[in-house]
Amino acid sequence: MEEMLGNVAGARQIFERWMVWMPDGKVWLSYIKFELRYNETERARAIFERFMQCRPKISAWIRFAKFEMKNGEIGRARNCYERAVDNLADDDEEAEHLYVEYAEFEEKCKETERARRIYKLALDRIAKGRAEDLYNKFVAFEKQYGDREGIEDAIVGKRRFQFEDVVRRNPHNYDSWFDYIRLEERVGNKERIREVYGRAIANVPPAEQKRYWKRYIYLWINYAVYEELDAQDMERTRSVYRECLKVISHQKFSFAKIWLFAAQFEIRQFRLKEARLLLGEAIGRAPKDKIFKKYIEIELHFGNIDHCRKLYEKYLAWSPENCYAWSKFAELERSLYEKERVRAIFEFAIDQSAVLMPELLWKAYINFEISEGEFERTRALYERLLNHMKDIKVWISYAKFEAEAMDSEAEEDTEQKKNGLQRARDVFGRAVSYLRNSAPELKEDRAMLLEEWLNMESSLGELGEVNLVRAKLPKKLKKRRRIDMKDGPAAYKEYIDYLFPEEMQTTNLKILEAAA
């Protein structure tokens, strides 16, 4: 009212009395606008200073700086921003807004280096979760004023911010940690790379179940590989492997690859003793097929045969059902021309009731005796195998062996060849007899056996007795089998049945009896 009456001094006096009560910002701004209406710039500046002492908020500092800028006082405006930054609390929610305004002010003043330093200071001081707009402004700034390196730094900073946000929300998202680490490795700052690796591996899976650890364990592996190949710090590499092995609960589960990587690292450092200690500890605490295989391979490479034998013994004591281990043990002894040892291993192996796929061991044993020219031993093995299993494949293999079992010196001996063929026919005959009398339901197997016999006879030329086998061949019949359905009418399925000569004779006799 005093101002409307033209009493400027009275209005000023009222404002001054009001300021004593330290009112909110709107009142201070009204007072400043009042002075500016009468071009009292110095008075307005003094009121701003008092305002800053009474209500030193970020928004007030920015208004003060813009006031100075509007009046062409660039130095004073800069001083306002600097004082605002000095008085800024680390957790002030308006901090991002202040730095952006400050940087844009310097940009308008053509002080691009000052603006760049302000952006970088802000990115270092403000928490990543509250700096999204700041990153966007910085990237846009670098694209406009920066060189290639500066642009790349800005983009890296923005991506770093994004990764920080992701891993903050879900620290067990190991794929995000991998991406974050790859970003830092491309930048090449060792300390920052190690810092990110350290933060990543600190996020141990919450459950002690192997499926939750499979991705996590590769953080350790990648960390060790980085230290060895990129940083070339061997002590740190050794420390990474050691700490990783401590973290894993080996009583519940383990990872063979960690033990092997650690041991192979020691070998690359020419520390064979330490590698052996690691692999020995692995076998003692968490034995696995891969560990045994690699340990044996290493010892074999260095020519430590006795150590290989001891490892195979431990391997088989731990896993006596392992067909692969038995075969490889025998293969080792065979390579050393230890025939009796090979036989002893095979004999011990085929006597194990727990062995998985024992037929593979029998086959390896038989092939060994054939390669050694021990035909009598081979026949004995086939006979023992037939006592265990009378599979059609065993019969066929036995017959083919007999047909081909001849000394290299007697290959041209026709008489010996005939004897071998006769023994093969005897085997086929025994097989057919067994299938006819003891397993009549296996008609298809019997037909396949006869087909193999016929093929052998056909391949012998003049020595073959094709007609002998053809007389035993069955007749193929197409039949239909009724299949009862739970819902709906019954269905029929076609199948092949076999009618053998003796069955045809029985059928004919029944027809004659019926006719009589």
Side-chain angles (χ1 to χ4, degrees), residues 256-285:
K257 57 175 70 70
I258 288 293
W259 292 104
L260 295 176
F261 285 166
Q264 288 168 331
F265 164 73
E266 296 295 356
I267 291 171
R268 287 193 293 274
Q269 305 308 309
F270 304 103
R271 290 159 58 98
L272 187 57
K273 181 181 177 182
E274 285 74 8
R276 284 193 176 116
L277 288 173
L278 273 169
L279 292 171
E281 184 183 353
I283 289 172
R285 297 181 64 187

Side-chain angles (χ1 to χ4, degrees), residues 19 41 79 84 100 215 243 307 389:
M19 295 304 109
T41 306
N79 180 257
V100 170
R215 290 295 289 161
E243 291 302 317
H307 206 164
M389 62 176 77

